[in-house]
């Protein structure tokens, strides 16, 4: 007759142990995304995975509990065994992702053995395992970008080469940084790629040792080649989700938006920060949409990523922009239109600090 092996009770013990590891690992990852990253999309996916797997094995719940043998488990932790240390948060995510993936693989393999309590469930475990690989990449990427995104506050200078006129962008950027600028974005609609790459590399070399973020506007290829901290995209540029597939996982993506709806969409599509404008009338752009402080307040209540206000901001109104919820203020003419760039930057930075 057919063999009684594998013994149902032993298989249930194995299933119970792997479900426990799976649930614990998913909970750690869910709490990282929910409480540390405030990432609703990833939290939702992890929660859905946990609930689906629990629901799938719901009918076995009592049997699994009855089969548990903690005391007799030869792999149970002993008093003298040191717990492993995680080097940092990405390492913690990697370790718990591995637990999830390994548990799913064990459950998947035993689902392929006929006559076990798991028979016929291999497909759902395999699907969950591939989902877990993707979630690990997304979470580690978010953590690596989180430190950079946290520095997106204070004064953000858009180094628009039209507004620079004949001045050297590196000299102007250096003066702005001395004044208190925390982020430099290079925006150039005229130069060829060779000249633009050379400029981007010089700015990156200036910013990096000073702890200032360097962001490239529009050009994904230049951002990559220059090793920028981030890429800034407009509404008509490459969608953030597509850029994310190409860029290194530690490179920020910023997105220009003109309403709370656009900002929410940009965040959902993978933007690490959003710029909202124009807050006030501006001379830096011929065509612009005036959104005002009320839209800034509403957007602040709807997005969790850093929010940069832009458009017509100067030393007379920067404080009300910060009071309305902006993490940072992006300026062009308020700094580039001044005779003394360092002094103009310092005046703005000082006003922002007083809030």
């Amino acid at each position: 007759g057919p063999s009684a092996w594998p013994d149902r009770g032993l298989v249930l013990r194995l299933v119970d142990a792997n479900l426990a590891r799976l649930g614990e690992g998913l909970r750690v990852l869910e709490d990282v995304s929910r409480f540390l990253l405030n990432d609703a999309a990833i939290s939702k996916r992890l929660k859905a995975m946990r609930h689906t797997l629990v629901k799938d094995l719901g009918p076995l719940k009592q049997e699994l509990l009855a089969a548990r043998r903690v005391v007799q488990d030869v792999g149970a932790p002993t008093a003298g065994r040191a717990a492993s240390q995680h080097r940092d948060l990405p390492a913690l995510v990697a370790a718990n992702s591995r637990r999830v993936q390994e548990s799913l693989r064990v459950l998947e393999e035993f689902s392929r053995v006929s006559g076990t309590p798991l028979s016929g469930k291999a497909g759902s475990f395999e699907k969950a395992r591939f989902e877990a690989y993707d979630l690990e990449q997304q979470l580690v990427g978010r953590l690596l970008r989180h430190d950079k995104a946290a520095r997106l506050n204070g004064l953000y200078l858009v180094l628009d080469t039209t507004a620079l006129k004949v001045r050297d962008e590196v000299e102007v950027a250096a003066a702005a940084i001395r004044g208190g600028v925390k982020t430099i974005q290079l925006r150039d609609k005229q130069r060829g790629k060779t000249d633009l790459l050379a400029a981007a590399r010089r700015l990156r070399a200036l910013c990096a040792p000073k702890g200032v973020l360097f962001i490239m506007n529009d050009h994904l290829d230049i951002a990559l080649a220059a090793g920028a901290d981030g890429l800034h995209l407009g509404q008509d540029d490459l969608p953030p989700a597509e850029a994310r597939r190409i860029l290194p996982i530690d490179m920020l993506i910023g997105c220009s938006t003109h309403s709370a709806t656009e900002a929410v969409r940009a965040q959902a599509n993978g933007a690490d920060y959003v710029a909202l404008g124009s807050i006030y009338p501006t001379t830096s752009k011929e065509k612009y949409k005036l959104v005002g402080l009320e839209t800034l307040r509403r957007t602040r209540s709807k997005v969790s990523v850093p929010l940069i206000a832009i458009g017509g901001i100067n030393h007379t109104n920067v404080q009300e922009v910060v009071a309305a919820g902006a993490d940072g203020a992006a300026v062009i003419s308020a700094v580039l239109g001044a005779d003394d760039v360092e002094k103009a930057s310092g005046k703005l930075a000082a006003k922002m600090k007083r809030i």
Side-chain angles (χ1 to χ4, degrees):
S3 166
W5 180 259
D7 176 272
R8 185 177 176 86
L10 296 177
V11 175
L12 284 167
R13 267 185 75 189
L14 176 145
V15 172
D16 180 56
N18 278 283
L19 274 180
R21 275 198 307 169
L22 175 62
E24 289 160 6
L26 284 171
R27 177 60 84 178
V28 171
L29 298 179
E30 200 180 318
D31 282 358
V32 167
S33 67
R34 180 181 167 192
F35 296 112
L36 302 186
L37 292 172
N38 207 19
D39 192 310
I42 295 179
S43 301
K44 192 175 174 183
R45 284 174 67 190
L46 285 160
K47 189 176 182 179
M49 187 192 287
R50 199 162 43 82
H51 283 193
T52 302
L53 294 165
V54 167
K55 195 171 74 181
D56 262 12
L57 295 164
L60 292 172
K61 200 171 180 182
Q62 288 185 331
E63 269 193 284
L64 289 169
L65 205 55
R68 193 174 296 171
R69 299 285 184 273
V70 179
V71 179
Q72 295 98 318
D73 187 350
V74 293
T78 54
R81 195 160 77 191
S84 61
Q85 295 292 313
H86 300 299
R87 188 176 66 255
D88 51 25
L89 277 172
L92 176 142
V93 165
N96 280 278
S97 295
R98 202 74 69 251
R99 292 181 79 194
V100 168
Q101 292 150 12
E102 287 170 355
S103 301
L104 285 166
R105 186 74 203 214
V106 172
L107 292 166
E108 180 189 332
E109 290 298 331
F110 275 86
S111 302
R112 298 186 195 282
V113 178
S114 59
T116 70
L118 294 176
S119 293
K121 291 185 166 53
S124 62
F125 291 129
E126 185 179 33
K127 185 183 171 193
R129 183 163 55 84
F130 280 94
E131 172 94 339
Y133 293 141
D134 182 56
L135 282 162
E136 177 185 8
Q137 185 186 37
Q138 302 248 359
L139 265 177
V140 170
R142 277 299 312 271
L143 285 168
L144 291 173
R145 299 193 302 276
H146 190 260
D147 286 347
K148 282 184 185 175
R151 286 155 55 198
L152 277 162
N153 54 49
L155 202 52
Y156 181 123
L157 176 63
V158 179
L159 208 55
D160 186 288
T161 46
T162 312
L164 267 174
K165 299 188 172 71
V166 295
R167 291 172 293 178
D168 178 79
E169 63 243 310
V170 177
E171 284 176 23
V172 171
I177 290 166
R178 286 195 300 273
V181 161
K182 308 273 286 290
T183 303
I184 298 276
Q185 180 197 125
L186 176 60
R187 184 161 85 187
D188 189 310
K189 308 282 186 186
Q190 295 159 320
R191 271 185 292 193
K193 297 273 184 178
T194 305
D195 288 346
L196 195 51
L197 177 57
R201 283 186 168 146
R202 288 173 69 211
L203 285 166
R204 169 75 176 138
L206 168 76
C207 292
K210 293 177 166 56
V212 171
L213 292 170
F214 172 60
I215 310 286
M216 187 68 215
N217 183 270
D218 286 357
H219 302 281
L220 183 144
D221 50 354
I222 303 287
L224 270 173
D229 293 303
L231 171 70
H232 192 88
L233 299 166
Q235 286 295 308
D236 298 325
D237 294 326
L238 193 67
E242 294 302 317
R244 180 81 280 147
R245 289 171 49 212
I246 303 165
L247 294 174
I249 59 173
D250 64 342
M251 194 182 284
L252 296 171
I253 293 176
C255 198
S256 291
T257 65
H258 311 290
S259 67
T261 307
E262 284 183 3
V264 168
R265 190 188 309 129
Q267 177 178 269
N269 288 337
D272 298 294
Y273 75 93
V274 292
L276 180 79
S278 183
I279 307 300
Y280 303 104
T282 176
T283 54
S284 297
K285 269 197 171 182
E286 285 178 29
K287 292 179 182 175
Y288 65 88
K289 182 182 175 186
L290 191 64
V291 301
L293 288 172
E294 191 42 54
T295 301
L296 178 60
R297 288 188 197 97
R298 191 162 65 253
T299 305
R300 173 74 293 167
S301 70
K302 291 179 182 293
V303 298
S304 57
V305 294
L307 178 59
I308 309 295
I310 188 167
I313 297 167
N314 56 43
H315 69 272
T316 66
N317 58 28
V318 70
Q319 287 183 317
E320 57 188 24
V321 163
V322 177
D327 295 292
V331 294
I332 302 174
S333 55
V335 166
L336 299 184
D339 293 329
D340 189 330
V341 165
E342 184 178 343
K343 190 176 173 184
S345 302
K347 195 173 181 181
L348 277 158
K351 292 228 167 186
M352 292 182 81
K353 279 178 187 161
R354 286 199 204 114
I355 293 289

